[in-house]
Amino acid sequence: MNIKDGLITKGFILSGLMNIIGVLVFSQFFSNAVIPEYDTQAMSNFGLLMIVVWGCVFISVSKIYYKVKWLIGVFAIEKLIYATHWTNWMLNNTLSEVFAKDKMAGIYYAIYGINDWLFFVFFLIVFIQLIRTNK
């Protein structure tokens, strides 16, 4: 599979915006106490802030991604870690309990891992493409 440069750039921007806007909206600008309550490891307010920072990093390389192919590999690893963490969380927690306490937190927990799995695949494909084409 070969993704065109323009689409890759848009993918990086979309990934960044998903991180930034997703966290800010669902955490209600870090004021939602329910999100950190249900995952004190990854979703503390500090953890949420770091997700926003990652979003800024994704956007910052959107037009020069081909110059930092190994960093794109790191992006794939980062997304794999969050996606795996979410999958484990979903297997060991009750989503309806989060929804009962706060709808925004429930929606966040319901979707953030799907986003991370999708962008893991995107970053992995881009990384493999860069390695193969030796860009």
Side-chain angles (χ1 to χ4, degrees):
M1 174 179 220
N2 210 12
I3 307 172
K4 294 184 180 186
D5 291 341
L7 192 55
I8 291 173
T9 294
K10 289 176 184 170
F12 277 92
I13 293 168
L14 180 61
S15 178
L17 290 175
M18 294 292 282
N19 273 33
I20 296 164
I21 295 169
V23 165
L24 294 178
V25 167
F26 290 107
S27 76
Q28 299 160 331
F29 289 84
F30 307 104
S31 68
N32 186 327
V34 178
I35 292 174
E37 176 186 340
Y38 280 89
D39 186 352
T40 58
Q41 287 183 319
M43 298 302 157
S44 66
N45 280 336
F46 178 78
L48 293 170
L49 178 61
M50 291 299 97
I51 292 168
V52 170
V53 170
W54 273 107
C56 294
V57 174
F58 300 150
I59 293 170
S60 75
V61 301
S62 65
K63 294 189 181 195
I64 59 157
Y65 66 88
Y66 54 88
K67 293 182 180 181
V68 291
K69 66 181 167 189
W70 293 104
L71 182 59
I72 308 314
V74 172
F75 290 174
I77 293 167
E78 182 266 348
K79 286 296 183 185
L80 177 62
I81 290 167
Y82 273 94
T84 303
H85 182 82
W86 173 79
T87 301
N88 187 52
W89 189 93
M90 291 294 280
L91 293 171
N92 293 294
N93 290 276
T94 308
L95 190 56
S96 60
E97 186 179 313
V98 181
F99 269 103
K101 245 185 175 175
D102 182 81
K103 186 176 182 178
M104 293 296 276
I107 294 169
Y108 180 78
Y109 276 103
I111 64 173
Y112 93 78
I114 298 166
N115 177 73
D116 286 336
W117 278 117
L118 291 172
F119 282 106
F120 159 69
V121 171
F122 169 75
F123 289 137
L124 183 62
I125 290 169
V126 172
F127 177 67
I128 291 168
Q129 183 173 315
L130 290 171
I131 295 295
R132 286 185 177 165
T133 60
N134 203 19
K135 279 190 174 184

